[in-house]
Amino acid sequence: QVQLLESGGGLVQPGGSLRLSCAAPGFTLDPYAIGWFRQAPGKEREGVSCISSRGSRSKYVDSVKGRFTISRDNANHTVYLQMNSLKSEDTAVYYCAADWEPYSAFCTTDPARGRYDYWGQGTQVTVQV
């Protein structure tokens, strides 16, 4: 059972930055594609970004392209989501999830297409003045 832990959320003003981390203490994330998802109050969960297990491919939802960057450090079993130029509409609980895709360039921000069997507990990101 892979346990994912998100961290790095908080309160930030519009235009500010945050870096979210997704770690799996005691487990290696190497065989997993990792996705970042978010859910705002009253809205459905939305796929934000993903990165393949090999780190060779990443994807972003249109609303965050050019502002968010996903990366992974397999040596330290951590995946990051750098969020710049934050907007109020980015306010949500952010979750990371792991999809078993070893040695693959595949990742998806659509949880229905991936096998996101493991999810973290989420970290709150609030963007407001």
Side-chain angles (χ1 to χ4, degrees):
Q1 182 84 8
V2 178
Q3 292 186 321
L4 301 175
L5 296 176
E6 302 97 337
S7 62
L11 174 64
V12 64
Q13 293 186 345
S17 298
L18 286 173
R19 188 176 78 158
L20 305 184
S21 299
C22 174
F27 294 92
T28 177
L29 292 179
D30 293 13
Y32 294 91
I34 302 296
W36 282 99
F37 301 84
R38 66 187 179 186
Q39 188 165 22
K43 294 187 176 181
E44 294 186 355
R45 184 175 58 192
E46 173 188 34
V48 176
S49 182
C50 67
I51 188 166
S52 62
S53 61
R54 307 183 82 164
S56 57
R57 180 169 294 180
S58 59
K59 296 181 180 179
Y60 302 89
V61 68
D62 286 346
S63 61
V64 308
K65 284 180 180 177
R67 301 188 297 122
F68 290 11
T69 303
I70 192 170
S71 61
R72 67 189 300 155
D73 180 352
N74 282 349
N76 290 303
H77 312 302
T78 304
V79 175
Y80 303 98
L81 185 68
Q82 178 67 43
M83 307 188 297
N84 298 329
S85 303
L86 283 162
K87 305 175 181 180
S88 58
E89 51 263 45
D90 296 318
T91 296
V93 178
Y94 284 71
Y95 302 89
C96 66
D99 174 7
W100 177 260
E101 299 285 351
Y103 311 110
S104 173
F106 174 81
C107 80
T108 178
T109 55
D110 181 353
R113 292 187 58 218
R115 292 169 292 180
Y116 285 105
D117 293 329
Y118 304 104
W119 292 78
Q121 81 291 348
T123 185
Q124 176 70 48
V125 171
T126 303
V127 185
Q128 66 180 37
V129 175

